Amino acid sequence: MQQDEVAARVRQVIDAAGVSAREFARRIVIDPSKLSRSLNGTRRFTAAELARIADIGAVDVGWLLGSAAGAAADTDAAGRTVSGAAVTASPVRSASAPRPPVPSPEGGRPLQIVRETVRLIAERGFHAVRVADIAAACHTSTAAIHYHFPGRDELLEAAVRWCMDEDTRRRADATAGTRHAGDELRLLIELQTPRTEQQRRQWCVWLDLWAEAARSTTVGRLHVEYYRQWRGTVADVIRRGVEQGVFRPVDADGAALTLTALIDGLASQVLAGEPDGRDDGAPGTGAQAMHDTLIAHVDACLTAPTAD
């Protein structure tokens, strides 16, 4: 089957899902730019990507590829008709293809695999997590894991991307509608302070992935991309605060670099210390101490003085 025909069928799956291409990329855990290039015919979908697309779209991989099995299922099964298209997407998969058990978990099997991978990385560290552990957590087989993510490198890349997307989504949700730049910066600091179990787990994953980024070109590129976006977000808030008169007239990019570096350094100390913020009687290194230190930095270095 020609590459453009595969792309056309993938577009039908996206249309049937009723979501944007960016959201669909998030669900199949790939870079949106990769999905765009594949849909435009300048990049081929990998076998694993087609497997994840089939899982999310509840269609047969053979149908995506135009194989005989897929075409037969197209004709014989009662499937969904995509609006404006003559092709019906069938939920029937080839009997010989590895597949997760039905019913599929919320968000689809690929997202479940990635979520469980992230949870296990947080608990044990990436190199201590086996594919068998992930399969057990997902109540499926190792073959099903490899069906969606053939190797550990691809699974790690998907885990990093999922963490990036979740972190970006949480920030966007928390700051939506916030107009005062000072309030928004304090919200961002609060989100990055590891108070809750979920926040601590997320930070544990980041610490493990930092080490991987130093060794892996792929993860390193994702790390650079994420931090470019994160520092850009902070710089934009600071820049807006300067315009509002909330912050001093500072170099927003430089101030963002300093603040994000402070957040990273303090968070690593919090995670290494005692949960109550004390370590052998030393000054507090807990979440509240981290938060107070960051707010003090903002007040001393960024907040514009008020007129008496």
Side-chain angles (χ1 to χ4, degrees), residues 155-226:
L155 186 52
L156 177 59
E157 180 181 349
V160 176
R161 186 164 296 286
W162 185 81
C163 286
M164 289 168 53
D165 290 344
E166 285 296 291
D167 201 40
T168 301
R169 181 186 59 78
R170 278 194 294 269
R171 289 201 305 267
D173 290 347
T175 59
T178 305
R179 297 182 179 277
H180 189 279
D183 292 342
E184 185 170 352
L185 189 60
R186 284 165 172 76
L187 273 173
L188 291 176
I189 288 172
E190 183 64 37
L191 287 172
Q192 296 298 315
T193 304
R195 297 183 190 275
T196 68
E197 184 60 33
Q198 187 277 332
Q199 287 172 317
R200 291 181 68 88
R201 184 165 57 245
Q202 184 79 1
W203 269 107
C204 285
V205 173
W206 282 125
L207 292 177
D208 211 52
L209 295 179
W210 286 347
E212 286 302 309
R215 304 182 184 96
S216 166
T217 302
T218 299
V219 177
R221 283 197 298 266
L222 288 172
H223 183 268
V224 169
E225 175 189 338
Y226 170 77

Side-chain angles (χ1 to χ4, degrees), residues 15-285:
D15 290 343
V19 298
S20 67
R22 176 169 287 276
E23 171 59 20
F24 194 80
R26 187 191 74 82
R27 294 185 183 185
I28 62 173
V29 207
I30 68 169
D31 186 340
S33 67
K34 286 185 178 180
L35 177 61
S36 177
R37 293 199 304 274
S38 296
L39 291 175
N40 291 332
T42 58
R43 174 186 178 273
R44 289 185 178 277
F45 287 104
T46 68
E49 288 166 359
L50 289 172
R52 300 201 291 271
I53 291 167
D55 184 276
I56 294 297
V59 299
D60 189 85
V61 173
W63 176 81
L64 288 174
L65 294 171
S67 70
D74 236 0
T75 302
D76 297 336
R80 300 186 311 270
T81 300
V82 180
S83 176
V87 180
T88 300
S90 167
V92 179
R93 296 176 186 265
S94 169
S96 61
R99 58 169 296 173
V102 176
S104 184
E106 182 182 356
R109 183 66 69 187
L111 275 180
Q112 184 200 28
I113 292 170
V114 171
R115 285 194 298 265
E116 290 301 322
T117 299
V118 169
R119 181 181 66 80
L120 291 170
I121 290 173
E123 292 176 359
R124 309 178 190 180
F126 178 73
H127 288 288
V129 177
R130 302 172 305 161
V131 172
D133 299 325
I134 300 168
C138 295
H139 305 288
T140 189
S141 65
T142 56
I145 304 298
H146 289 305
Y147 177 62
H148 294 291
F149 302 98
R152 285 172 62 92
D153 287 346
E154 187 172 4
L155 186 52
L156 177 59
E157 180 181 349
V160 176
R161 186 164 296 286
W162 185 81
C163 286
M164 289 168 53
D165 290 344
E166 285 296 291
D167 201 40
T168 301
R169 181 186 59 78
R170 278 194 294 269
R171 289 201 305 267
D173 290 347
T175 59
T178 305
R179 297 182 179 277
H180 189 279
D183 292 342
E184 185 170 352
L185 189 60
R186 284 165 172 76
L187 273 173
L188 291 176
I189 288 172
E190 183 64 37
L191 287 172
Q192 296 298 315
T193 304
R195 297 183 190 275
T196 68
E197 184 60 33
Q198 187 277 332
Q199 287 172 317
R200 291 181 68 88
R201 184 165 57 245
Q202 184 79 1
W203 269 107
C204 285
V205 173
W206 282 125
L207 292 177
D208 211 52
L209 295 179
W210 286 347
E212 286 302 309
R215 304 182 184 96
S216 166
T217 302
T218 299
V219 177
R221 283 197 298 266
L222 288 172
H223 183 268
V224 169
E225 175 189 338
Y226 170 77
Y227 266 86
R228 183 183 296 115
Q229 295 173 0
W230 166 226
R231 284 193 296 265
T233 295
V234 175
D236 287 343
V237 174
I238 294 173
R239 200 171 286 114
R240 193 164 65 253
V242 172
E243 294 171 356
Q244 293 175 353
V246 175
F247 298 141
R248 306 169 191 267
V250 297
D251 171 17
D253 292 324
L257 177 61
T258 300
L259 181 57
T260 54
L262 261 177
I263 290 172
D264 290 345
L266 289 171
S268 63
Q269 293 183 47
V270 171
L271 294 170
E274 295 295 327
D276 63 1
R278 294 280 173 177
D279 186 5
D280 297 329
T285 55

